Amino acid sequence: MSHPRASTQSQRFAQFKLVLLGESAVGKSSLVLRFVKDQFDDYRESTIGAAFLTQTIALDETTTVKFEIWDTAGQERYKSLAPMYYRNANCAVVVYDITQSSSLDKAKAWVKELQRQANENIVIALAGNKLDIVTGDPSKRAVETVEAEAYAKEAGLLFFETSAKTAQNVKDLFTAIAKKLPLDQPGPRGARPGAGGRGVDLKGGMAAQQQGCNC
Amino acid sequence: MSAENHSATLSAHPDEFPAFDNQDRHTDATIEDDLETPRASFYSEVAEGELSLDEDYFSSPPPSRNAMTTPSELLSHKAAAITSSNNAPQTHSRATVAVSLPEGVYAQQQDAMSGSGSVTTAPSFSDSMSIRSTAPTLKSLGDADVESMLGEILSETESRFCASSIQESIEESVEDEDTDDEIDEEILTDEEQLARWRAKKKHFFILSEAGKPVYSRYGSETIISSYIGVLQAIISFFTDTSDTLQSFQSGSHLFVVISSGPLYLVAISCTGETPAQLRLQLDSLYQQILSTLTLSQLTKAFSGRFNFDLRRLLGGTEVFLDGLVDSILRGSPAILLSALECITLRKTHRTQINQLLLTHRTSTLLYGLIITDSRLVSVIRPKRHSLHPPDLQLLFSMLFTASTFRDGNEHWTPLCMPRFNSKGFLHAYIHFFTADSAIVLISADKDAFFELREMAEKVVAGLQETGLRERIGEGVKRPKPVDIMPGTVIRHWVYKSRGNVQFISSSWEGVERKRTMVVYQRLHAVVHGRGRVKVAFETAGSGASQGVGDGGDNGGKRSLGQDGMAWVGNGWEVYAVAKRGTKREAMVRGVQGIVKWVKEREERVFVIGGATF
Ligand SMILES: Nc1nc2c(ncn2[C@@H]2O[C@H](COP(=O)(O)OP(=O)(O)OP(=O)(O)O)[C@@H](O)[C@H]2O)c(=O)[nH]1
Ligand SMILES: [Mg+2]
């Protein structure tokens, strides 16, 4: 849940939960690493479970946005765990690899699932990653920009082609998301609180309440 | 969701996973139904043929609700050992290998050995020595040190075989095993690759019953697939005749096979280990797979899909299997001794760390651990639940042999601890708060991340404020033998406390680790062998490990350049090496010194019991 707080005078601070989804090896962790630490590893081990990171960005002089990021594992066996990461998310980055057309199909499936199952006001961005590869060798491209862009438009998604390696469009991607998120509205938005007891959600960040199912 | 189907595997090994069958899952069922309902419809959309093992992540019975109505003493470390020994292959199983194969594979029959102790005499070199003269150790299972049973039972089955499995090329085999991996295999021709692959001193394969490759440390798919085919053919030959192939020798290569769940695990080695030792290594690989999938998922993956390619489900965990194999190749006292290593800490410091964990403990916490440099610093656990050392060993290996978790980020991952409950997942919060130190908080509640995160923050801050973080850093240092016994002939030693299922090792600095581990391996085979000797020597000159009084039929091995000694006492065992040609008396004195030194500080070098709540 986000906690936009009107702090002193005109300073605005908002906190959002962001989840990354997409097939294994498309570069989710690499995008997060670029965004959070401004680094890139040529060799990265596949994510096990999920990693949790935070990053704060200044949108403008008066607005600060903190992202709480779930970098999920794309491996098939973790598929069933995804709902517990996106259920409370305010925004999602669905990543595919522009050199692998099948990864876009997976991305579309994630978008569909998010639109059906997640927070109804969730802001979704589609990121076609590994742009650097096709910049070097256009024949490596497997997903045309226009094609992905058209799909994104139709589905109501933000769209970027990115490179975690060269940092191209990475900051822009997250900034665009932050800008699209409503900053002023107080309290949790669009959440389906409790949603009729359909399971326990990851408890809210900072102030984890001592409740819920204790055994 | 579909009923679980374990029967296929379990019937083949009725004794294999007995420990948690008596769970009462009623409480869980109701809660899970709530969770399952919306998901059931959701996952019905899963495409045909796409694998969905969803429910298992959720249906893992929260252990705190398990009706593990075991008497409290069964929940101590000893209970862990009982489980282990139950997992051991039956001693009465027979393996008769009588098949004609290329390269002169010959038949080997293994049959049950009762624990008929061979005569063991007291060492006779010095009258001042207190090495116990040992009667034949015919122990009944009931009062034996249960912890060591696994090793002993295995050794019994294998001991006869062991003598003949000693190969001739130890000398080369312990050399440069890990240096030759540097070259990028892709630049080599197929033949070169094959040659390099065949030159490996040790191979581990995992394959499915249908002969599908699951894992191999080395070699490209093309190289290994034909070998896998042959292995599968040999193994299934015996399965068809309802016999169990356990091991066979071909030239200098020893083949060891274990059949676990729907998998076959095969080790091919010419490094002189016994089948029992190799079997422990294979078992650690199997446990690693279980920790990723649980036994339920593993079984289910193959039910109705005999040809299933398990690699699909193991994606991303090869690094953990590789890590395990590499540490085995490097020589792992933890796996050889089936024990954990701890860091040295004053008792007051260890208590303070325990206290920090206990103070900030959240309601859903099951186990809380601080681990540094693959060694245990501190652990807290509920009184009702023991922690099983093999489970921790797996966890340590995953944390420290791969870089996956070592990035300073916070991780939240499902994790099966197979000895605790092979059928369900726990969830682990993992955070390396320094390059070498991690806090791991384990819960049965998949939604516990944020509360565990808060707990971890407080604990780490507490370690920082109290200076305990520095104490941990200091405790990592292992003593050199001369630090504790100036002038000693001992170059390196390891001491295992059986009761605590832990060991302590002297510094590896300046020690040839692989060769030393081979000496320990040989000694271990002797003291855990049929004779149950209590004292054994390995003499570099003769190249033979000899149990005192057992006649030591170990000819043919080459020297490892060091003399070694093993001594098994009441609840402990110690292994040491010294320069070749060292007088036995001096060595014995050194080993006695080690035992005395450890005994004087057991509470510092071992985590005794851990803190409970
Ligand atoms: N050239 C290039 N390589 C990239 C880029 N992003 C990621 N990679 C590489 O792609 C591989 C996979 O990247 P990861 O970030 O681990 O992929 P992931 O999506 O997190 O994968 P899982 O954790 O398995 O779900 C790594 O070897 C990265 O170095 C990129 O923008 N350009
Ligand atoms: Mg990743």
Side-chain angles (χ1 to χ4, degrees), chain B residues 348-388:
Chain B
T348 50
H349 293 148
R350 192 141 11 225
T351 311
Q352 282 174 323
I353 298 173
N354 289 345
Q355 214 50 52
L356 258 180
L357 285 165
L358 287 173
T359 306
H360 299 298
R361 176 175 77 83
T362 71
S363 54
T364 60
L365 183 79
L366 181 62
Y367 299 126
L369 303 127
I370 308 276
I371 305 157
T372 199
D373 189 42
S374 294
R375 286 179 278 166
L376 187 61
V377 176
S378 163
V379 55
I380 63 165
R381 62 179 173 89
K383 280 189 197 71
R384 304 169 54 228
H385 294 292
S386 64
L387 247 186
H388 304 260

mmCIF file of all heavy atoms in Angstrom, chain B residues 348-388:
data_model
loop_
_atom_site.group_PDB
_atom_site.id
_atom_site.type_symbol
_atom_site.label_atom_id
_atom_site.label_comp_id
_atom_site.label_asym_id
_atom_site.label_seq_id
_atom_site.Cartn_x
_atom_site.Cartn_y
_atom_site.Cartn_z
ATOM 1 N N THR B 348 29.571 -16.380 26.693
ATOM 2 C CA THR B 348 28.756 -15.185 26.974
ATOM 3 C C THR B 348 28.361 -14.479 25.678
ATOM 4 O O THR B 348 27.241 -13.997 25.561
ATOM 5 C CB THR B 348 29.516 -14.173 27.863
ATOM 6 O OG1 THR B 348 30.805 -13.969 27.289
ATOM 7 C CG2 THR B 348 29.649 -14.657 29.279
ATOM 8 N N HIS B 349 29.283 -14.448 24.724
ATOM 9 C CA HIS B 349 28.943 -13.792 23.462
ATOM 10 C C HIS B 349 27.884 -14.567 22.704
ATOM 11 O O HIS B 349 26.959 -13.990 22.135
ATOM 12 C CB HIS B 349 30.198 -13.610 22.597
ATOM 13 C CG HIS B 349 31.173 -12.642 23.210
ATOM 14 N ND1 HIS B 349 32.534 -12.747 23.054
ATOM 15 C CD2 HIS B 349 30.961 -11.571 24.005
ATOM 16 C CE1 HIS B 349 33.119 -11.763 23.715
ATOM 17 N NE2 HIS B 349 32.188 -11.044 24.293
ATOM 18 N N ARG B 350 28.041 -15.874 22.710
ATOM 19 C CA ARG B 350 27.057 -16.683 21.997
ATOM 20 C C ARG B 350 25.679 -16.491 22.649
ATOM 21 O O ARG B 350 24.669 -16.355 21.974
ATOM 22 C CB ARG B 350 27.463 -18.156 21.977
ATOM 23 C CG ARG B 350 26.622 -18.904 21.011
ATOM 24 C CD ARG B 350 27.227 -20.003 20.139
ATOM 25 N NE ARG B 350 28.530 -20.526 20.344
ATOM 26 C CZ ARG B 350 29.399 -20.730 19.354
ATOM 27 N NH1 ARG B 350 29.104 -20.404 18.115
ATOM 28 N NH2 ARG B 350 30.574 -21.257 19.598
ATOM 29 N N THR B 351 25.673 -16.463 23.963
ATOM 30 C CA THR B 351 24.410 -16.265 24.677
ATOM 31 C C THR B 351 23.808 -14.907 24.331
ATOM 32 O O THR B 351 22.594 -14.797 24.137
ATOM 33 C CB THR B 351 24.641 -16.367 26.197
ATOM 34 O OG1 THR B 351 25.384 -17.557 26.440
ATOM 35 C CG2 THR B 351 23.333 -16.423 26.951
ATOM 36 N N GLN B 352 24.658 -13.898 24.236
ATOM 37 C CA GLN B 352 24.146 -12.563 23.894
ATOM 38 C C GLN B 352 23.508 -12.551 22.505
ATOM 39 O O GLN B 352 22.465 -11.925 22.300
ATOM 40 C CB GLN B 352 25.286 -11.533 23.923
ATOM 41 C CG GLN B 352 25.658 -11.095 25.327
ATOM 42 C CD GLN B 352 26.887 -10.186 25.320
ATOM 43 O OE1 GLN B 352 27.808 -10.388 24.532
ATOM 44 N NE2 GLN B 352 26.880 -9.191 26.189
ATOM 45 N N ILE B 353 24.146 -13.235 21.586
ATOM 46 C CA ILE B 353 23.593 -13.277 20.228
ATOM 47 C C ILE B 353 22.264 -14.033 20.234
ATOM 48 O O ILE B 353 21.270 -13.581 19.648
ATOM 49 C CB ILE B 353 24.589 -13.907 19.236
ATOM 50 C CG1 ILE B 353 25.855 -13.058 19.161
ATOM 51 C CG2 ILE B 353 23.966 -14.025 17.844
ATOM 52 C CD1 ILE B 353 26.975 -13.657 18.349
ATOM 53 N N ASN B 354 22.244 -15.154 20.935
ATOM 54 C CA ASN B 354 20.982 -15.898 21.065
ATOM 55 C C ASN B 354 19.899 -14.990 21.632
ATOM 56 O O ASN B 354 18.752 -14.996 21.182
ATOM 57 C CB ASN B 354 21.148 -17.080 22.025
ATOM 58 C CG ASN B 354 22.005 -18.178 21.434
ATOM 59 O OD1 ASN B 354 22.251 -18.214 20.234
ATOM 60 N ND2 ASN B 354 22.477 -19.083 22.283
ATOM 61 N N GLN B 355 20.300 -14.227 22.643
ATOM 62 C CA GLN B 355 19.351 -13.367 23.333
ATOM 63 C C GLN B 355 18.780 -12.307 22.399
ATOM 64 O O GLN B 355 17.594 -12.014 22.441
ATOM 65 C CB GLN B 355 20.061 -12.718 24.536
ATOM 66 C CG GLN B 355 19.144 -12.504 25.725
ATOM 67 C CD GLN B 355 18.356 -13.768 26.084
ATOM 68 O OE1 GLN B 355 18.932 -14.840 26.251
ATOM 69 N NE2 GLN B 355 17.024 -13.652 26.163
ATOM 70 N N LEU B 356 19.667 -11.768 21.564
ATOM 71 C CA LEU B 356 19.204 -10.782 20.577
ATOM 72 C C LEU B 356 18.126 -11.389 19.679
ATOM 73 O O LEU B 356 17.087 -10.780 19.425
ATOM 74 C CB LEU B 356 20.374 -10.378 19.687
ATOM 75 C CG LEU B 356 21.077 -9.051 19.925
ATOM 76 C CD1 LEU B 356 22.195 -8.885 18.912
ATOM 77 C CD2 LEU B 356 20.092 -7.896 19.831
ATOM 78 N N LEU B 357 18.409 -12.593 19.204
ATOM 79 C CA LEU B 357 17.436 -13.261 18.334
ATOM 80 C C LEU B 357 16.141 -13.533 19.090
ATOM 81 O O LEU B 357 15.041 -13.303 18.584
ATOM 82 C CB LEU B 357 18.014 -14.569 17.793
ATOM 83 C CG LEU B 357 19.063 -14.452 16.685
ATOM 84 C CD1 LEU B 357 19.810 -15.770 16.500
ATOM 85 C CD2 LEU B 357 18.424 -14.044 15.356
ATOM 86 N N LEU B 358 16.275 -13.992 20.321
ATOM 87 C CA LEU B 358 15.085 -14.321 21.109
ATOM 88 C C LEU B 358 14.261 -13.077 21.416
ATOM 89 O O LEU B 358 13.037 -13.089 21.356
ATOM 90 C CB LEU B 358 15.491 -15.024 22.407
ATOM 91 C CG LEU B 358 15.988 -16.464 22.273
ATOM 92 C CD1 LEU B 358 16.527 -16.974 23.605
ATOM 93 C CD2 LEU B 358 14.876 -17.381 21.768
ATOM 94 N N THR B 359 14.946 -11.994 21.743
ATOM 95 C CA THR B 359 14.255 -10.762 22.120
ATOM 96 C C THR B 359 13.401 -10.238 20.977
ATOM 97 O O THR B 359 12.288 -9.776 21.178
ATOM 98 C CB THR B 359 15.279 -9.671 22.496
ATOM 99 O OG1 THR B 359 16.137 -10.215 23.493
ATOM 100 C CG2 THR B 359 14.595 -8.430 23.035
ATOM 101 N N HIS B 360 13.944 -10.291 19.773
ATOM 102 C CA HIS B 360 13.222 -9.699 18.644
ATOM 103 C C HIS B 360 12.401 -10.703 17.866
ATOM 104 O O HIS B 360 11.852 -10.387 16.819
ATOM 105 C CB HIS B 360 14.220 -8.994 17.717
ATOM 106 C CG HIS B 360 14.957 -7.894 18.401
ATOM 107 N ND1 HIS B 360 14.325 -6.802 18.921
ATOM 108 C CD2 HIS B 360 16.268 -7.730 18.692
ATOM 109 C CE1 HIS B 360 15.210 -5.997 19.478
ATOM 110 N NE2 HIS B 360 16.398 -6.545 19.360
ATOM 111 N N ARG B 361 12.357 -11.885 18.385
ATOM 112 C CA ARG B 361 11.624 -12.956 17.718
ATOM 113 C C ARG B 361 10.176 -12.556 17.441
ATOM 114 O O ARG B 361 9.509 -11.974 18.273
ATOM 115 C CB ARG B 361 11.642 -14.180 18.644
ATOM 116 C CG ARG B 361 10.864 -15.368 18.196
ATOM 117 C CD ARG B 361 11.100 -16.503 19.167
ATOM 118 N NE ARG B 361 10.364 -16.351 20.409
ATOM 119 C CZ ARG B 361 9.086 -16.718 20.559
ATOM 120 N NH1 ARG B 361 8.440 -17.253 19.546
ATOM 121 N NH2 ARG B 361 8.465 -16.558 21.700
ATOM 122 N N THR B 362 9.695 -12.889 16.265
ATOM 123 C CA THR B 362 8.292 -12.617 15.956
ATOM 124 C C THR B 362 7.497 -13.910 16.101
ATOM 125 O O THR B 362 8.064 -14.998 16.159
ATOM 126 C CB THR B 362 8.115 -12.105 14.511
ATOM 127 O OG1 THR B 362 8.355 -13.205 13.631
ATOM 128 C CG2 THR B 362 9.066 -10.978 14.189
ATOM 129 N N SER B 363 6.199 -13.746 16.106
ATOM 130 C CA SER B 363 5.358 -14.897 16.430
ATOM 131 C C SER B 363 5.425 -16.002 15.380
ATOM 132 O O SER B 363 5.194 -17.160 15.675
ATOM 133 C CB SER B 363 3.916 -14.443 16.595
ATOM 134 O OG SER B 363 3.537 -13.736 15.439
ATOM 135 N N THR B 364 5.727 -15.644 14.149
ATOM 136 C CA THR B 364 5.703 -16.684 13.121
ATOM 137 C C THR B 364 7.068 -17.320 12.889
ATOM 138 O O THR B 364 7.200 -18.181 12.032
ATOM 139 C CB THR B 364 5.202 -16.134 11.767
ATOM 140 O OG1 THR B 364 6.089 -15.096 11.373
ATOM 141 C CG2 THR B 364 3.799 -15.616 11.860
ATOM 142 N N LEU B 365 8.061 -16.873 13.650
ATOM 143 C CA LEU B 365 9.398 -17.416 13.425
ATOM 144 C C LEU B 365 9.480 -18.880 13.845
ATOM 145 O O LEU B 365 9.014 -19.274 14.903
ATOM 146 C CB LEU B 365 10.440 -16.614 14.217
ATOM 147 C CG LEU B 365 11.881 -17.076 13.971
ATOM 148 C CD1 LEU B 365 12.403 -16.516 12.661
ATOM 149 C CD2 LEU B 365 12.791 -16.684 15.116
ATOM 150 N N LEU B 366 10.099 -19.664 12.987
ATOM 151 C CA LEU B 366 10.363 -21.053 13.331
ATOM 152 C C LEU B 366 11.831 -21.200 13.753
ATOM 153 O O LEU B 366 12.129 -21.579 14.874
ATOM 154 C CB LEU B 366 10.034 -21.942 12.136
ATOM 155 C CG LEU B 366 10.226 -23.436 12.324
ATOM 156 C CD1 LEU B 366 9.322 -23.977 13.416
ATOM 157 C CD2 LEU B 366 9.938 -24.162 11.006
ATOM 158 N N TYR B 367 12.725 -20.891 12.843
ATOM 159 C CA TYR B 367 14.151 -20.955 13.157
ATOM 160 C C TYR B 367 14.804 -19.612 12.859
ATOM 161 O O TYR B 367 14.487 -18.982 11.856
ATOM 162 C CB TYR B 367 14.861 -21.995 12.280
ATOM 163 C CG TYR B 367 14.359 -23.397 12.457
ATOM 164 C CD1 TYR B 367 13.940 -24.140 11.357
ATOM 165 C CD2 TYR B 367 14.321 -23.987 13.718
ATOM 166 C CE1 TYR B 367 13.487 -25.447 11.503
ATOM 167 C CE2 TYR B 367 13.863 -25.287 13.863
ATOM 168 C CZ TYR B 367 13.447 -26.008 12.770
ATOM 169 O OH TYR B 367 13.006 -27.288 12.924
ATOM 170 N N GLY B 368 15.701 -19.222 13.716
ATOM 171 C CA GLY B 368 16.486 -18.020 13.460
ATOM 172 C C GLY B 368 17.959 -18.371 13.517
ATOM 173 O O GLY B 368 18.402 -19.040 14.454
ATOM 174 N N LEU B 369 18.697 -17.957 12.512
ATOM 175 C CA LEU B 369 20.107 -18.335 12.456
ATOM 176 C C LEU B 369 20.995 -17.172 12.054
ATOM 177 O O LEU B 369 20.606 -16.343 11.231
ATOM 178 C CB LEU B 369 20.322 -19.416 11.382
ATOM 179 C CG LEU B 369 19.533 -20.696 11.478
ATOM 180 C CD1 LEU B 369 18.827 -20.967 10.175
ATOM 181 C CD2 LEU B 369 20.466 -21.832 11.813
ATOM 182 N N ILE B 370 22.161 -17.157 12.650
ATOM 183 C CA ILE B 370 23.219 -16.284 12.154
ATOM 184 C C ILE B 370 24.315 -17.220 11.661
ATOM 185 O O ILE B 370 24.722 -18.146 12.367
ATOM 186 C CB ILE B 370 23.798 -15.376 13.269
ATOM 187 C CG1 ILE B 370 22.695 -14.626 14.008
ATOM 188 C CG2 ILE B 370 24.841 -14.427 12.680
ATOM 189 C CD1 ILE B 370 22.214 -13.372 13.389
ATOM 190 N N ILE B 371 24.745 -16.989 10.437
ATOM 191 C CA ILE B 371 25.710 -17.875 9.809
ATOM 192 C C ILE B 371 26.835 -17.023 9.255
ATOM 193 O O ILE B 371 26.574 -15.962 8.669
ATOM 194 C CB ILE B 371 25.053 -18.657 8.651
ATOM 195 C CG1 ILE B 371 23.816 -19.407 9.147
ATOM 196 C CG2 ILE B 371 26.027 -19.630 8.017
ATOM 197 C CD1 ILE B 371 22.827 -19.729 8.045
ATOM 198 N N THR B 372 28.045 -17.467 9.437
ATOM 199 C CA THR B 372 29.139 -16.725 8.830
ATOM 200 C C THR B 372 30.137 -17.698 8.223
ATOM 201 O O THR B 372 30.414 -18.741 8.811
ATOM 202 C CB THR B 372 29.781 -15.768 9.880
ATOM 203 O OG1 THR B 372 30.510 -14.763 9.217
ATOM 204 C CG2 THR B 372 30.692 -16.485 10.833
ATOM 205 N N ASP B 373 30.610 -17.374 7.036
ATOM 206 C CA ASP B 373 31.645 -18.184 6.403
ATOM 207 C C ASP B 373 31.288 -19.676 6.400
ATOM 208 O O ASP B 373 32.127 -20.518 6.728
ATOM 209 C CB ASP B 373 32.971 -17.939 7.144
ATOM 210 C CG ASP B 373 34.155 -18.564 6.425
ATOM 211 O OD1 ASP B 373 34.205 -18.458 5.195
ATOM 212 O OD2 ASP B 373 35.006 -19.172 7.103
ATOM 213 N N SER B 374 30.067 -20.006 6.030
ATOM 214 C CA SER B 374 29.578 -21.398 6.016
ATOM 215 C C SER B 374 29.558 -22.051 7.384
ATOM 216 O O SER B 374 29.518 -23.277 7.482
ATOM 217 C CB SER B 374 30.421 -22.298 5.101
ATOM 218 O OG SER B 374 30.273 -21.901 3.784
ATOM 219 N N ARG B 375 29.629 -21.262 8.423
ATOM 220 C CA ARG B 375 29.631 -21.851 9.757
ATOM 221 C C ARG B 375 28.558 -21.229 10.643
ATOM 222 O O ARG B 375 28.224 -20.060 10.496
ATOM 223 C CB ARG B 375 31.016 -21.672 10.397
ATOM 224 C CG ARG B 375 32.029 -22.619 9.778
ATOM 225 C CD ARG B 375 33.391 -22.440 10.386
ATOM 226 N NE ARG B 375 34.100 -21.315 9.780
ATOM 227 C CZ ARG B 375 35.192 -20.786 10.305
ATOM 228 N NH1 ARG B 375 35.676 -21.226 11.450
ATOM 229 N NH2 ARG B 375 35.808 -19.798 9.683
ATOM 230 N N LEU B 376 28.090 -22.014 11.555
ATOM 231 C CA LEU B 376 27.008 -21.568 12.419
ATOM 232 C C LEU B 376 27.543 -20.653 13.520
ATOM 233 O O LEU B 376 28.555 -20.946 14.158
ATOM 234 C CB LEU B 376 26.347 -22.802 13.044
ATOM 235 C CG LEU B 376 25.089 -22.568 13.862
ATOM 236 C CD1 LEU B 376 23.987 -21.961 12.995
ATOM 237 C CD2 LEU B 376 24.610 -23.886 14.467
ATOM 238 N N VAL B 377 26.854 -19.545 13.707
ATOM 239 C CA VAL B 377 27.204 -18.648 14.805
ATOM 240 C C VAL B 377 26.207 -18.864 15.941
ATOM 241 O O VAL B 377 26.574 -19.049 17.098
ATOM 242 C CB VAL B 377 27.163 -17.172 14.353
ATOM 243 C CG1 VAL B 377 27.430 -16.242 15.522
ATOM 244 C CG2 VAL B 377 28.142 -16.931 13.215
ATOM 245 N N SER B 378 24.949 -18.865 15.572
ATOM 246 C CA SER B 378 23.912 -18.939 16.593
ATOM 247 C C SER B 378 22.616 -19.426 15.963
ATOM 248 O O SER B 378 22.356 -19.162 14.793
ATOM 249 C CB SER B 378 23.726 -17.538 17.180
ATOM 250 O OG SER B 378 22.510 -17.447 17.861
ATOM 251 N N VAL B 379 21.851 -20.116 16.764
ATOM 252 C CA VAL B 379 20.567 -20.596 16.251
ATOM 253 C C VAL B 379 19.537 -20.568 17.371
ATOM 254 O O VAL B 379 19.852 -20.864 18.525
ATOM 255 C CB VAL B 379 20.704 -22.025 15.659
ATOM 256 C CG1 VAL B 379 21.301 -22.988 16.665
ATOM 257 C CG2 VAL B 379 19.361 -22.567 15.181
ATOM 258 N N ILE B 380 18.328 -20.146 17.051
ATOM 259 C CA ILE B 380 17.230 -20.303 17.997
ATOM 260 C C ILE B 380 16.130 -21.123 17.325
ATOM 261 O O ILE B 380 15.947 -21.057 16.113
ATOM 262 C CB ILE B 380 16.665 -18.957 18.513
ATOM 263 C CG1 ILE B 380 16.061 -18.121 17.382
ATOM 264 C CG2 ILE B 380 17.744 -18.164 19.244
ATOM 265 C CD1 ILE B 380 15.191 -16.979 17.895
ATOM 266 N N ARG B 381 15.444 -21.891 18.140
ATOM 267 C CA ARG B 381 14.412 -22.782 17.598
ATOM 268 C C ARG B 381 13.359 -23.037 18.663
ATOM 269 O O ARG B 381 13.620 -22.854 19.856
ATOM 270 C CB ARG B 381 15.050 -24.105 17.167
ATOM 271 C CG ARG B 381 15.679 -24.855 18.326
ATOM 272 C CD ARG B 381 16.292 -26.173 17.901
ATOM 273 N NE ARG B 381 17.016 -26.784 19.004
ATOM 274 C CZ ARG B 381 16.449 -27.597 19.885
ATOM 275 N NH1 ARG B 381 15.170 -27.871 19.807
ATOM 276 N NH2 ARG B 381 17.161 -28.108 20.874
ATOM 277 N N PRO B 382 12.167 -23.449 18.229
ATOM 278 C CA PRO B 382 11.144 -23.785 19.220
ATOM 279 C C PRO B 382 11.550 -25.061 19.954
ATOM 280 O O PRO B 382 12.187 -25.933 19.363
ATOM 281 C CB PRO B 382 9.888 -24.059 18.380
ATOM 282 C CG PRO B 382 10.224 -23.693 16.985
ATOM 283 C CD PRO B 382 11.688 -23.677 16.853
ATOM 284 N N LYS B 383 11.153 -25.150 21.199
ATOM 285 C CA LYS B 383 11.497 -26.350 21.969
ATOM 286 C C LYS B 383 11.021 -27.606 21.279
ATOM 287 O O LYS B 383 11.665 -28.638 21.343
ATOM 288 C CB LYS B 383 10.852 -26.276 23.359
ATOM 289 C CG LYS B 383 11.623 -25.416 24.315
ATOM 290 C CD LYS B 383 11.063 -25.551 25.730
ATOM 291 C CE LYS B 383 11.545 -24.404 26.611
ATOM 292 N NZ LYS B 383 10.913 -23.105 26.245
ATOM 293 N N ARG B 384 9.889 -27.486 20.613
ATOM 294 C CA ARG B 384 9.284 -28.686 20.036
ATOM 295 C C ARG B 384 9.926 -29.140 18.729
ATOM 296 O O ARG B 384 9.620 -30.193 18.228
ATOM 297 C CB ARG B 384 7.792 -28.468 19.792
ATOM 298 C CG ARG B 384 7.030 -28.048 21.012
ATOM 299 C CD ARG B 384 5.629 -27.591 20.650
ATOM 300 N NE ARG B 384 4.930 -28.592 19.878
ATOM 301 C CZ ARG B 384 4.273 -28.327 18.760
ATOM 302 N NH1 ARG B 384 4.276 -27.110 18.278
ATOM 303 N NH2 ARG B 384 3.641 -29.278 18.125
ATOM 304 N N HIS B 385 10.737 -28.290 18.148
ATOM 305 C CA HIS B 385 11.297 -28.675 16.852
ATOM 306 C C HIS B 385 12.816 -28.645 16.865
ATOM 307 O O HIS B 385 13.408 -27.636 17.188
ATOM 308 C CB HIS B 385 10.791 -27.739 15.762
ATOM 309 C CG HIS B 385 9.330 -27.857 15.522
ATOM 310 N ND1 HIS B 385 8.764 -28.980 14.970
ATOM 311 C CD2 HIS B 385 8.312 -27.009 15.786
ATOM 312 C CE1 HIS B 385 7.464 -28.804 14.897
ATOM 313 N NE2 HIS B 385 7.155 -27.629 15.392
ATOM 314 N N SER B 386 13.377 -29.757 16.479
ATOM 315 C CA SER B 386 14.822 -29.761 16.384
ATOM 316 C C SER B 386 15.199 -29.203 15.021
ATOM 317 O O SER B 386 14.376 -29.024 14.143
ATOM 318 C CB SER B 386 15.346 -31.173 16.504
ATOM 319 O OG SER B 386 14.873 -31.927 15.421
ATOM 320 N N LEU B 387 16.448 -28.903 14.897
ATOM 321 C CA LEU B 387 16.971 -28.515 13.598
ATOM 322 C C LEU B 387 17.871 -29.645 13.169
ATOM 323 O O LEU B 387 18.708 -30.104 13.940
ATOM 324 C CB LEU B 387 17.799 -27.245 13.739
ATOM 325 C CG LEU B 387 17.247 -25.999 13.088
ATOM 326 C CD1 LEU B 387 18.243 -24.878 13.204
ATOM 327 C CD2 LEU B 387 16.888 -26.229 11.634
ATOM 328 N N HIS B 388 17.715 -30.063 11.948
ATOM 329 C CA HIS B 388 18.471 -31.229 11.519
ATOM 330 C C HIS B 388 19.746 -30.790 10.822
ATOM 331 O O HIS B 388 19.678 -30.072 9.828
ATOM 332 C CB HIS B 388 17.597 -32.087 10.619
ATOM 333 C CG HIS B 388 16.316 -32.478 11.289
ATOM 334 N ND1 HIS B 388 16.133 -33.706 11.862
ATOM 335 C CD2 HIS B 388 15.186 -31.777 11.534
ATOM 336 C CE1 HIS B 388 14.929 -33.758 12.417
ATOM 337 N NE2 HIS B 388 14.334 -32.600 12.227
#
